[in-house]
Amino acid sequence: TFSAKCKEEAKKPVSEVMIPIRATVNVNDSVAKAAFIMLQADVNLIPVMDGERVGGVLRMSDVFNELTAIVVE
C-alpha cells in the first residue's frame, strides 16, 4: 500500500537520498563569485565554508535578492 511504501522509504538513511556537494564557497567570497560558482556547478544551494567547517548555506534566491536590491536602489 501507499502508506507502507512511505514508511519504508522514510527508514532509508540520508546517504541514500542526499545530493553530493558539487561546489562550495568561502565566507569571505563575494556574492558575485558565489553566483558564478553556483551557475557553473548548476546548483541552487551551496555550502559556505568557514575554514574546515560549514558556516552556513547560500541559496540562489538569497543571491538573487541581494543582487536585485542593488539594481533597485
Side-chain angles (χ1 to χ4, degrees):
T1 68
F2 178 76
S3 180
K5 183 68 173 167
C6 286
K7 288 179 183 178
E8 180 182 321
E9 289 297 310
K11 292 179 183 177
K12 281 185 178 179
V14 172
S15 62
E16 289 186 24
V17 296
M18 70 181 195
I19 299 168
I21 295 172
R22 291 189 276 184
T24 62
V25 293
N26 185 282
V27 291
N28 296 315
D29 287 340
S30 69
V31 173
K33 181 177 180 180
F36 178 79
I37 291 170
M38 293 172 81
L39 289 169
Q40 291 296 310
D42 192 28
V43 295
N44 290 315
L45 183 76
I46 193 166
V48 180
M49 303 303 293
D50 187 1
E52 292 294 316
R53 70 180 214 25
V54 177
V57 294
L58 183 67
R59 299 171 299 174
M60 187 57 85
S61 61
D62 299 326
V63 172
F64 180 79
N65 289 337
E66 190 65 27
L67 295 177
T68 55
I70 294 168
V71 173
V72 173
E73 286 182 358

